[in-house]
Amino acid sequence: MRAATSLSLALAVGYLALPAAAHALEFTGYLRSGAGTSDGKRQSCFQLPGAQSKFRLGNECEQYAELDLRQDLLTLDDGSVVSVEGMAQLFNEYGHTPEFTGEHGFSRMSQLYAEWSKLPALNGGSLWAGRRYYKRNDIHISDFYYWNQSATGAGIEDYELGGLKYSYAFSRKDSVFQKEYINRHDFNVAGFDTNPNGELEFGLSFIDKPRHIEGAHSGWSITAQHKQQDFLGIGGKNTFALQYGPGPGTALGSTGDVMLDDSAKRYRMVEFFDWQITPRLGGQFQVVYQKDKRANRDDENWLSVGGRTSYAFTEQFKLVGEIGHDQVDAEGGTRKLTKFTVAPTWSPAGPGFWARPEFRLYYTYASWNQAAQNAASQMAAGSALSDSGAFGSARHGSNFGAQVEYWW
């Protein structure tokens, strides 16, 4: 708590130091917190070794918050706006004192940047510099950021020309967890009207060969993404993306391992659909397929299929259910994990699928095969699927708990 208190005090002092102005301070954020148990022990969450995400509902084992402040400093005569933004990020694992630091937690500034937006010279585009969340694309139910160009750097965003929006960013670090400084260039063009209510976007990332790392390589990746509004005529939104990258580009938008050469390749297909069929019935469905090729190694294929739906019996009470299956074909056999959650939920903001806050009670059950347990025992000893985890040599387990999730 000491780290969180100090950070809150620093943000408050910084705000008081700003000159009095007509510009309002914008405060937004995200919070999830709760408590749970796995067979009477500290809750242990289910994720398949080799899968890059897990289905979230009733399967999150941490306290987590993002607290964001944005201040418009100046509005110039041409209508452009100069702003600053900062975000504090707090993380702490269940079952440990919430100090948000050390082995079981962290606190950091995940965003701290300046932006000059609504520039007439850029036809409404922006200039920015600093550390920021930049062009992040994710699937909510699995928290999978499949195309995430966040970084510390600078760029031009959404310069409009001929009905298209062009962006370029130069960066040196994805986040504070990246140890080495590595140059990355991200180019994006969006706004291709392909069909009624449909739009196509392309992105190209290029990673320079770092001269200060012996044996390192350059790499690149490309993404094509189509978004369809009013999908199937029921008010939903569909997203379909194809991605490819060799070498360090196997991170598909962020900075990958620069020790990989072009013999390493990654292909990915992403499909997910959000729906709100009636004011009380909504959900999200996903399919992710990923293939990894490495020299002198078997290919590794990851498939993730699942969905979450909610039905509101009243304006403030929902029943939420989620089922997901992950499968990884790798050396040692095909690993499989299936997970199911049911969560009676109080939703004071209304009956919609995206309405928050949600206060949930949940029960989660998961089962996995021997190949999954063998891989977990070798790669993540002590995790839920391993033979040294909360469920021992059993290949099934359950969690029970309560959680609040809120964004504003």
Side-chain angles (χ1 to χ4, degrees):
M1 294 298 292
R2 293 190 299 273
T5 302
S6 300
L7 187 55
S8 299
L9 179 60
L11 290 171
V13 170
Y15 172 58
L16 292 174
L18 291 171
H23 304 293
L25 180 71
E26 182 180 358
F27 176 48
T28 58
Y30 173 84
L31 169 71
R32 65 172 179 262
S33 184
T37 179
S38 298
D39 291 348
K41 307 171 186 175
R42 176 170 61 92
Q43 179 171 320
S44 189
C45 288
F46 307 104
Q47 182 164 353
L48 188 67
Q52 294 196 332
S53 65
K54 58 184 173 63
F55 289 90
R56 301 174 59 188
L57 187 66
N59 196 32
E60 293 172 307
C61 291
E62 67 277 338
Q63 324 285 350
Y64 183 78
E66 293 177 342
L67 307 174
D68 187 274
L69 295 174
R70 184 180 177 90
Q71 176 74 51
D72 292 344
L73 301 178
L74 296 170
T75 299
L76 304 181
D77 292 341
D78 61 4
S80 63
V81 180
V82 178
S83 309
V84 292
E85 184 166 350
M87 175 185 283
Q89 186 179 31
L90 306 172
F91 174 93
N92 211 90
E93 293 179 1
Y94 279 0
H96 301 280
T97 304
E99 295 179 341
F100 302 101
T101 188
E103 183 181 357
H104 302 292
F106 64 80
S107 58
R108 66 186 183 100
M109 294 298 295
S110 56
Q111 297 199 85
L112 191 61
Y113 71 99
E115 183 178 21
W116 189 4
S117 60
K118 302 178 182 178
L119 279 162
L122 297 178
N123 294 331
S126 303
L127 298 173
W128 65 272
R131 180 189 303 156
R132 69 173 293 192
Y133 288 166
Y134 179 69
K135 295 191 179 298
R136 302 199 306 166
N137 296 265
D138 78 307
I139 305 173
H140 174 72
I141 60 174
S142 57
D143 211 23
F144 181 38
Y145 286 85
Y146 59 93
W147 188 17
N148 182 4
Q149 300 165 71
S150 299
T152 299
I156 301 172
E157 185 176 14
D158 291 343
Y159 167 56
E160 187 170 351
L161 180 65
L164 301 177
K165 292 185 176 181
Y166 297 85
S167 302
Y168 165 73
F170 170 77
S171 61
R172 302 212 66 206
K173 267 198 171 189
D174 289 3
S175 73
V176 295
F177 298 117
Q178 180 182 313
K179 294 181 180 180
E180 301 286 348
Y181 287 95
I182 298 169
N183 296 342
R184 194 180 83 227
H185 308 265
D186 291 298
F187 304 87
N188 290 72
V189 56
F192 294 94
D193 294 327
T194 55
N195 60 294
N197 299 316
E199 184 175 302
L200 191 62
E201 178 180 5
F202 295 95
L204 173 67
S205 291
F206 181 78
I207 301 161
D208 290 340
K209 177 181 178 179
R211 305 294 179 182
H212 64 290
I213 302 176
E214 185 176 355
H217 300 273
S218 63
W220 59 273
S221 68
I222 188 168
T223 297
Q225 177 165 274
H226 182 270
K227 291 192 175 184
Q228 181 70 47
Q229 303 291 336
D230 196 22
F231 185 61
L232 299 179
I234 58 175
K237 181 176 73 174
N238 190 76
T239 301
F240 177 73
L242 295 173
Q243 300 176 280
Y244 169 75
T250 53
L252 300 181
S254 55
T255 304
D257 183 357
V258 295
M259 303 309 292
L260 296 176
D261 61 23
D262 286 350
S263 67
K265 296 176 173 60
R266 174 170 288 173
Y267 308 80
R268 183 189 291 152
M269 183 276 291
V270 174
E271 161 68 28
F272 63 100
F273 170 41
D274 305 320
W275 72 87
Q276 190 72 52
I277 298 176
T278 72
R280 296 192 176 193
L281 177 62
Q284 186 178 74
F285 172 79
Q286 74 164 59
V287 179
V288 177
Y289 178 75
Q290 178 176 291
K291 175 181 282 290
D292 286 311
K293 290 180 172 290
R294 298 285 189 272
N296 304 316
R297 268 181 50 183
D298 291 342
D299 293 354
E300 187 165 301
N301 305 320
W302 169 44
L303 174 66
S304 183
V305 181
R308 183 192 301 184
T309 189
S310 71
Y311 181 77
F313 291 93
T314 71
E315 286 299 305
Q316 295 190 349
F317 176 76
K318 296 187 284 193
L319 185 63
V320 185
E322 182 178 273
I323 185 166
H325 176 79
D326 284 287
Q327 181 171 307
V328 173
D329 298 320
E331 186 178 358
T334 299
R335 310 164 194 163
K336 297 180 181 180
L337 167 67
T338 300
K339 168 259 183 193
F340 168 77
T341 300
V342 60
T345 299
W346 176 43
S347 177
F353 178 78
W354 295 103
R356 298 295 186 275
E358 286 188 345
F359 297 86
R360 311 161 177 150
L361 295 176
Y362 61 82
Y363 171 78
T364 295
Y365 176 82
S367 63
W368 52 96
N369 68 354
Q370 187 66 58
Q373 186 172 81
N374 292 343
S377 299
Q378 181 179 4
M379 300 164 60
S383 63
L385 275 62
S386 71
D387 58 13
S388 57
F391 309 104
S393 60
R395 296 197 300 275
H396 58 87
S398 61
N399 291 330
F400 175 78
Q403 185 192 50
V404 57
E405 182 181 47
Y406 184 34
W407 54 69
W408 64 94

